[in-house]
Amino acid sequence: MGTLVWLRPIAAPAVPAGPSAAHVVAGGSVKGRPRRVSVASRCPNPRVLQAGRCRWLVVRSGVTAAAAAADDPEDSSGLSDLQVASRIRGVFFYTVTAVAAIFLFIAMVVVHPLVLLFDRHRRRAQHYIAKIWATLTVSMFYKLEVEGMENLPPNSSAAVYVANHQSFLDIYTLLTLGRCFKFISKTSIFMLPIIGWAMYLLGVIPLRRMDSRSQLDCLKRCVDLLKRGASVFFFPEGTRSKDGKLGIFKRGAFSVAVKTGVPVIPITLLGTGKLMPPGMESNLNSDTLLLHGYGVH
């Protein structure tokens, strides 16, 4: 069975999916122009890539519509105000996520001894707290609607999850799925107060990107976790897409899956790159901003 996760406006028309697909939907719409974020998962054959590409084309048509609106002189007069509004939304977003992180990090610290004693590898309690943190933050700024969660493997089953990477918001969106997969992150992120410390408690795997020894250690850690029943998560492109197009996949995720014999669960994210484009992490766009083409590449 395959799995699809769409994040799109509640009022947006349903996107048809094959019998093996599941969907997750989030977002909002303005004057009939939907914005989408989508996540597609697990298919053991090449049809997954084709399915993901088809759905991406649907979303790009929405980007084209938004960009066309930007060319309308009557709509462009308020663009600077919209940019300011986007920056203000970004400030509120980080304020909310920081305040929530403080209280939930304390909860993580309290339960951590029990987690190490009874659930060292999956760390389900820590991931449940992280899901609360992500959901609290996301729910105030964009909507999520999940379809097909029944097609995701249970937390008790080890798997390699992979997804395209568009935005800083991808992590928040994925955490709301409630799956106990271990992300891979740059070592520098672990130095951030509260957020970096929480990542350590979650068991996030550190990586120095340009260090071949660190890359090898990272893959060994992933193999060990999978053999012990935990799941791992890869962004196989290795970095965020600047234009929304899918980049070339690196081999790490798939070599780990082959070595351990676990399934690969592909996830397609659509729309996060429009809400918070790469390189513009201080801004958080709204429907109105997307309608004017702001933040759309």
Side-chain angles (χ1 to χ4, degrees), residues 113-262:
L114 293 176
V115 168
L116 292 180
L117 186 61
F118 298 107
D119 193 20
R120 175 181 292 270
H121 303 295
R122 292 197 186 103
R123 305 194 180 191
R124 285 166 289 188
Q126 306 289 35
H127 279 274
Y128 181 73
I129 294 171
K131 177 183 178 180
I132 295 174
W133 169 70
T135 303
L136 283 174
T137 303
V138 162
S139 63
M140 297 185 65
F141 298 94
Y142 60 96
K143 296 179 181 178
L144 296 177
E145 181 181 318
V146 180
E147 301 173 7
M149 281 292 291
E150 68 278 3
N151 290 332
L152 289 175
N155 269 330
S156 57
S157 299
V160 172
Y161 291 79
V162 296
N164 62 315
H165 200 7
Q166 294 188 3
S167 170
F168 179 69
L169 295 178
D170 292 345
I171 301 296
Y172 286 85
T173 301
L174 292 165
L175 284 174
T176 64
L177 297 178
R179 288 299 181 268
C180 301
F181 37 61
K182 301 293 179 284
F183 288 101
I184 297 171
S185 177
K186 296 185 297 183
T187 54
S188 58
I189 305 297
F190 286 81
M191 302 302 293
L192 295 176
I194 307 298
I195 300 297
W197 305 338
M199 288 167 55
Y200 173 79
L201 297 180
L202 279 169
V204 174
I205 304 167
L207 172 67
R208 292 188 294 275
R209 287 184 176 177
M210 305 308 294
D211 186 333
S212 58
R213 178 61 180 273
S214 177
Q215 294 172 2
L216 182 60
D217 290 342
C218 175
L219 293 179
K220 288 181 177 178
R221 175 78 181 279
C222 290
V223 169
D224 181 64
L225 284 168
L226 288 165
K227 288 181 176 179
R228 295 174 182 273
S231 296
V232 296
F233 191 100
F234 287 81
F235 289 115
E237 296 168 279
T239 187
R240 286 170 293 178
S241 171
K242 301 299 182 183
D243 58 5
K245 295 180 180 179
L246 193 65
I248 298 174
F249 283 8
K250 300 182 185 299
R251 295 182 301 172
F254 309 102
S255 64
V256 165
V258 169
K259 287 181 180 179
T260 56
V262 302

Side-chain angles (χ1 to χ4, degrees), residues 245-293:
K245 295 180 180 179
L246 193 65
I248 298 174
F249 283 8
K250 300 182 185 299
R251 295 182 301 172
F254 309 102
S255 64
V256 165
V258 169
K259 287 181 180 179
T260 56
V262 302
V264 174
I265 314 297
I267 296 179
T268 303
L269 292 163
L270 301 177
T272 52
K274 291 182 290 181
L275 292 170
M276 185 178 285
M280 302 176 66
E281 285 74 21
S282 60
N283 295 355
L284 181 60
N285 293 328
S286 66
D287 289 327
T288 305
L289 289 166
L290 294 177
L291 179 64
H292 282 76

Side-chain angles (χ1 to χ4, degrees), residues 6 36 54-64 270-271 274:
W6 295 94
R36 302 178 189 224
C54 290
R55 285 163 176 78
W56 174 243
L57 291 174
V58 171
V59 176
R60 286 191 56 139
S61 66
V63 174
T64 303
L270 301 177
K274 291 182 290 181

Side-chain angles (χ1 to χ4, degrees), residues 82 84 134 193 256 294:
L82 294 175
V84 171
V256 165
Y294 179 60

Side-chain angles (χ1 to χ4, degrees), residues 27-93:
S29 63
V30 175
K31 297 182 180 178
R33 295 179 175 85
R35 62 180 169 86
R36 302 178 189 224
V37 184
S38 137
V39 188
S41 258
R42 175 143 165 67
C43 244
N45 58 59
R47 288 186 301 172
V48 172
L49 297 180
Q50 182 63 34
R53 183 158 55 245
C54 290
R55 285 163 176 78
W56 174 243
L57 291 174
V58 171
V59 176
R60 286 191 56 139
S61 66
V63 174
T64 303
D71 295 331
D72 187 344
E74 294 181 1
D75 289 341
S76 61
S77 58
L79 185 57
S80 59
D81 291 339
L82 294 175
Q83 292 174 351
V84 171
S86 178
R87 181 63 59 86
I88 293 173
R89 281 172 57 86
V91 170
F92 276 105
F93 175 84

